Amino acid sequence: MFDHNRQHVVQNNDPKGDEWFGKFFGACVLFVMFLAAVQFACETVLAWYRDTMVWLNDTATYLAGFWPF
């Protein structure tokens, strides 16, 4: 009359799986930080290049002002 079948929840702890996820997540964080560093370096070099070209142009214009022709 009564069904005495009980359903149990079995929790399976997988420490190696947790370790794998931690390593994967850490690798993703390091990769994103690496990309941010590359982007910062690229923007710095490009800004330095642009500023150098502006300075050279201004210097050439100033020196050309002394040209007698």
Side-chain angles (χ1 to χ4, degrees):
M1 186 165 165
F2 292 107
D3 190 11
H4 293 293
N5 291 336
R6 294 186 179 141
Q7 295 182 5
H8 297 281
V9 175
V10 177
Q11 182 177 358
N12 187 4
N13 291 335
D14 186 10
K16 288 190 178 185
D18 294 342
E19 181 181 341
W20 178 86
F21 177 75
K23 286 182 180 181
F24 176 74
F25 188 72
C28 288
V29 169
L30 288 176
F31 182 68
V32 169
M33 289 176 61
F34 170 75
L35 290 179
V38 169
Q39 180 181 3
F40 178 76
C42 183
E43 289 176 358
T44 302
V45 168
L46 288 176
W48 178 84
Y49 175 76
R50 272 189 248 110
D51 292 343
T52 302
M53 289 302 116
V54 168
W55 180 82
L56 286 174
N57 187 23
D58 290 344
T59 303
T61 302
Y62 175 74
L63 292 175
F66 293 112
W67 196 257
F69 301 109

